[in-house]
């Protein structure tokens, strides 16, 4: 576990400039890959001398699109109660390349992130943001946003919907 300082407003309303947080550097190294909805510390390809804090919105193989003020992953519109304002831009569908991740800032109106055309290599995702520790008024565990559950639910509904169609009884 290491400390990080939030720099800038790209993750508002959930993280604020100069907040301090603990990040878990072991979770992605030893336990599992980054998950949709995780808030991560990363080294961006556009500024490799800096570290950014962003939310994982697409994994290798996922297709991400932004339209009608909403983010779509694999064709499913995501419900994002953690953002204050929807994106004011559109982005054509892009498939996340193998070994790469698509990230967005929660402040969709002010964030240098993957909607500008770049991805983050798996080995450039340094840690998962775990606990805000400063200022004391913001202290708390970073809530989990399991966006993958929305994708699984949407896929399951697509599979089951033909089964839910009324069937005429034979022999009437």
């Amino acid at each position: 576990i290491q400390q990080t300082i939030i720099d800038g407003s790209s993750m508002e309303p959930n993280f604020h400039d100069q907040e301090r947080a603990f990040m878990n550097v072991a979770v992605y190294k030893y336990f599992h890959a980054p998950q949709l909805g995780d808030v991560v510390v990363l080294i961006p390809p556009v500024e490799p001398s800096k570290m950014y804090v962003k939310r994982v919105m697409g994994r290798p193989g996922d297709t991400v699109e932004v339209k009608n003020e909403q983010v779509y992953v694999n064709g499913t519109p995501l419900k994002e109660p953690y953002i204050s304002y929807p994106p004011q831009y559109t982005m054509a569908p892009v498939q996340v390349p193998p070994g790469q991740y698509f990230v967005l800032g929660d402040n969709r109106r002010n964030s240098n992130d993957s909607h500008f055309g770049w991805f983050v290599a798996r080995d450039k995702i340094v840690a998962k943001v775990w606990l805000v520790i400063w200022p004391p008024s913001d202290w708390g565990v970073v809530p989990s946003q399991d966006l993958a559950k929305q994708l699984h639910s949407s896929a399951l509904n697509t599979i089951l919907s033909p089964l839910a169609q009324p069937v005429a009884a034979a022999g009437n």
Side-chain angles (χ1 to χ4, degrees), residues 75-140:
T76 300
L78 297 180
K79 295 178 184 97
E80 299 184 276
Y82 50 84
I83 63 172
S84 291
Y85 304 103
Q88 298 295 303
Y89 52 84
T90 59
M91 187 190 81
V94 295
Q95 186 170 32
V96 182
Q100 304 282 318
Y101 288 80
F102 185 98
V103 296
L104 292 175
D106 289 353
N107 183 352
R108 299 291 156 75
R109 295 182 178 181
N110 185 26
S111 180
N112 183 5
D113 53 34
S114 292
H115 90 274
F116 284 110
W118 51 267
F119 300 98
V120 181
R122 170 66 186 85
D123 65 341
K124 300 298 182 187
I125 297 179
V126 177
K128 180 177 182 176
V129 179
W130 173 59
L131 178 73
V132 174
I133 59 170
W134 189 263
S137 59
D138 294 344
W139 190 92

Side-chain angles (χ1 to χ4, degrees), residues 36-98:
L36 286 178
D38 285 358
V39 176
V40 300
V41 177
L42 59 99
I43 300 169
V46 294
E47 287 189 274
S49 64
K50 292 189 173 190
M51 288 197 187
Y52 286 6
V53 174
K54 303 291 178 195
R55 189 175 301 275
V56 174
M57 301 300 288
R59 302 161 297 187
D62 285 341
T63 298
V64 183
E65 178 180 14
V66 180
K67 64 181 180 181
N68 304 322
E69 299 187 336
Q70 197 154 21
V71 176
Y72 291 74
V73 176
N74 300 331
T76 300
L78 297 180
K79 295 178 184 97
E80 299 184 276
Y82 50 84
I83 63 172
S84 291
Y85 304 103
Q88 298 295 303
Y89 52 84
T90 59
M91 187 190 81
V94 295
Q95 186 170 32
V96 182

Side-chain angles (χ1 to χ4, degrees), residues 22-44:
F22 283 142
M23 58 181 181
N24 184 334
V25 296
V27 68
Y28 302 139
K29 192 172 189 175
Y30 300 112
F31 298 105
H32 61 79
Q35 304 297 305
L36 286 178
D38 285 358
V39 176
V40 300
V41 177
L42 59 99
I43 300 169

